[in-house]
């Protein structure tokens, strides 16, 4: 018999996983069940067939969007005085990365009828903030990691003071880049009210109600003698990991002119893939090497962090990931199949990635 958890979506806040013994939440919900042992398991180390109804060159799409974003990021941070801080910013921002968040932002814009040119500025903004979070997360006072994206972490390359300042500068630049009208096509202007909504959304998702909240609880939960419970683990990762993925999708839909209904459906999609991203990350951490991941493997195990494999076991974690993947896909079923193909394939990519 399958055991059940329920992922509740509260319009006023973040999702939490609830067990049947907990009181029902006053919000819409999706049931997430762990499949039986005979169910097909998700394997983060192998590829899987995509189930798009139309042919779609996902690799070409991802490379194309990454190239567009990389060009814009390169232009956004010229090497000006003081040169060292700009070098550190560029080192971390342009030193690789899958550009998943920018791709999600662009795909969400396109699915509601917008185009790439409208989404590039917010896509760059979320990537700047993501890079800031990585720089700060690697610091000795946080996760103390020496390796990021296959190269020395920013504080290892430039020293701790410069790394802190580089992260701060990227955070400030992200908001400036998001609202700079010069970054958008003049032929298809975005209403000022959308900029206000997008800025508020981004600030909420990365502040004390979002990424920062998750990071704090993650720090407080590290090294405990007993693992944290499932509710606390979900809170941590829906905030620390899923929040910025949510911002990427929601802001993309906003600048693309999506309706409130479209935006909320895409928000639910983003929360599912955000949690999926973390579950897969935890699986990879215990099944891949540092060389394969481009970052230190088994770091969570060494620091006695609670992870999905530690709490649920590896098999149940894979099954849970599969449930999240299917729930994410269900949120975009009503959109145009051609326009929804990128988000469908991005969900699969997150589920089946190998690093």
């Amino acid at each position: 018999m399958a055991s059940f958890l329920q992922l509740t979506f509260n319009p006023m806040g973040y999702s939490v996983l609830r067990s049947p013994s907990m009181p029902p939440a006053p919000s819409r919900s999706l049931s997430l069940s762990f499949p039986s042992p005979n169910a097909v398991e998700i394997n983060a180390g192998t590829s899987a067939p995509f189930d798009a109804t139309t042919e779609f060159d996902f690799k070409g799409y991802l490379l194309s969007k990454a190239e567009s974003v990389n060009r814009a990021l390169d232009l956004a941070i010229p090497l000006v005085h003081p040169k060292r801080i700009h070098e550190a910013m560029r080192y971390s921002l342009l030193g690789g990365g899958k550009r998943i968040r920018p791709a999600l932002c662009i795909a969400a814009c396109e699915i509601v009828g917008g185009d790439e040119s409208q989404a590039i500025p917010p896509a760059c903004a979320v990537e700047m903030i993501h890079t800031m979070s990585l720089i700060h997360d690697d610091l000795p006072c946080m996760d103390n990691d020496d390796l990021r994206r296959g190269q020395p972490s920013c504080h290892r390359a430039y020293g701790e003071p410069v790394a802190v300042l580089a992260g701060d500068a990227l955070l400030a630049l992200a908001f400036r880049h998001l609202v700079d009208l010069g970054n958008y096509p003049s032929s298809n202007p975005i209403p000022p009210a959308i900029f206000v909504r997008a800025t508020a959304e981004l600030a909420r998702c990365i502040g004390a109600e979002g990424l920062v909240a998750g990071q704090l609880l993650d720090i407080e939960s590290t090294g405990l003698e007993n693992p944290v419970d499932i509710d606390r683990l979900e809170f941590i990762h829906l905030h620390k990991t899923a929040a910025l993925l949510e911002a990427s999708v929601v802001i993309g839909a906003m600048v693309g002119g999506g309706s409130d209904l479209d935006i909320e459906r895409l928000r639910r999609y983003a929360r599912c893939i955000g949690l999926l991203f973390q579950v897969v990350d935890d699986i990879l951490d215990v099944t891949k090497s540092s060389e394969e991941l481009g970052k230190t493997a088994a770091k969570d195990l060494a620091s006695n962090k609670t992870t999905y494999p530690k709490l649920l076991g590896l098999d149940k974690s894979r099954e849970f990931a599969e449930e999240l993947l299917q729930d994410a896909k269900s949120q975009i079923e009503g959109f145009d199949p051609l326009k929804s193909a990128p988000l469908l394939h991005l969900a699969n990519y997150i589920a089946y990635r190998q690093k």
Side-chain angles (χ1 to χ4, degrees), residues 105-129:
C105 184
I106 296 169
C109 177
E110 293 173 336
I111 200 174
V112 298
D115 59 56
E116 180 183 303
S117 62
Q118 295 172 302
I120 288 294
C124 288
V126 296
E127 189 65 13
M128 291 173 186
I129 290 175

Side-chain angles (χ1 to χ4, degrees), residues 3 13-14 16 18-19 30 49 97 132 153 158-159 169 195 211 215 219 230 239 249 259 278 280 283 314 322 352:
S3 58
Y14 282 92
V16 294
R18 308 181 69 86
S19 68
L30 292 173
M132 173 277 296
S153 302
Y158 289 90
F195 284 123
L211 188 153
Q215 181 69 64
I219 293 170
I230 189 67
H239 290 71
V249 171
S259 67
Q278 186 61 51
V280 172
I283 293 170
L314 192 57
E322 181 65 30
Y352 300 113

Side-chain angles (χ1 to χ4, degrees), residues 73 76-77 89 93 120-132 166-180 183-184 195 198-199 202-203 206 244 251:
L73 290 173
I77 307 179
M89 293 165 70
L93 187 61
I120 288 294
C124 288
V126 296
E127 189 65 13
M128 291 173 186
I129 290 175
H130 173 55
T131 302
M132 173 277 296
D168 293 345
L170 283 169
L171 177 60
L173 180 59
F175 283 97
R176 174 184 171 185
H177 198 82
L178 174 64
V179 299
D180 187 342
N183 293 326
Y184 295 85
F195 284 123
T199 301
L202 186 56
I206 66 171
L244 189 53
I251 293 172

Side-chain angles (χ1 to χ4, degrees), residues 145 147-150 281 285 289-297:
D145 212 322
L147 192 65
R148 175 64 65 180
R149 291 173 172 171
D281 221 42
D285 189 61
S289 68
S290 298
E291 291 74 21
E292 291 172 308
L293 294 176
K295 60 181 180 180
T296 306

